[in-house]
Amino acid sequence: MMEVEKNKMDTIQELIQYSTENSAYIWSEFYRHFLMAVYGVLFASIISVPLGILIAKYGKLSGWVLSLGSIIQTIPALGMMAVIMIVMGLGTNTAIVTLILYSILPITQNTYVGMRDVDKTVIEAGYATGMTRFQLLRMVELPLAVSVIMAGIRTALVIGIGVVAIGAFVGAGGLGAIIITGTNSTNGTAIILAGAIPTALMAVIADLVLGYIERKMQPGKV
């Protein structure tokens, strides 16, 4: 028991020492990791929000689009990166494209649900006042659906932070590179933790911040 406690203390001391000596490197990889996650979700949103609106308007397409998104989700992230790497090579682009594909389903699905859940009487009232379809979409439907859409973006970003960590295997860098360094080292537990703890903190903070924004965007909230 004493031996286990001693090993834990040694690991904590090694973690503090490694983090102190390599703080600039850890911060740069943290920033790189965060940017890759944000870019992937941003580009996915540009694709998925219009796609979700489209399938909400034309319901027959929803089954096909959502099923395709579900199939993508079942593919292991590392396997997908390996396939994309054949086309795009090593580096950040492979990780970002993988994240885009993984983010399509949650954002598209939430956009679809949010648009479908808009009260039909509100839409009819908008038509009655002479609004065009575009005005109705911009001024009525999207404002009412935005909190649900934001929930999809929140889910995609939290998942994406984990997916980007795997990107280190294809040369994308980020905090995953620190974790891999630890796994390749003898007694590298402290190094693994130096990459894993910031990754977990990033996901928790992103979830809390986007959750707050989501609540603020709910209809009726000020």
Side-chain angles (χ1 to χ4, degrees), residues 48 65-67 69-70 73 101-110:
S48 301
V65 172
L66 296 177
S67 294
S70 297
Q73 289 281 331
L101 293 175
Y102 269 91
S103 300
I104 285 175
L105 179 64
I107 301 174
T108 302
Q109 191 170 45
N110 277 51

Side-chain angles (χ1 to χ4, degrees), residues 36 84 88-100 170-172:
M36 284 191 287
I84 295 171
M88 305 198 70
L90 295 169
T92 57
N93 289 343
T94 297
I96 290 172
V97 170
T98 303
L99 179 52
I100 290 171
V170 293

Side-chain angles (χ1 to χ4, degrees), residues 48-67 104-105 107-113 115-116:
S48 301
V49 172
L51 183 60
I53 294 170
L54 179 67
I55 65 174
K57 297 294 183 182
Y58 302 97
K60 292 181 179 179
L61 294 174
S62 62
W64 291 95
V65 172
L66 296 177
S67 294
I104 285 175
L105 179 64
I107 301 174
T108 302
Q109 191 170 45
N110 277 51
T111 303
Y112 170 75
V113 170
M115 294 294 293
R116 296 286 289 186

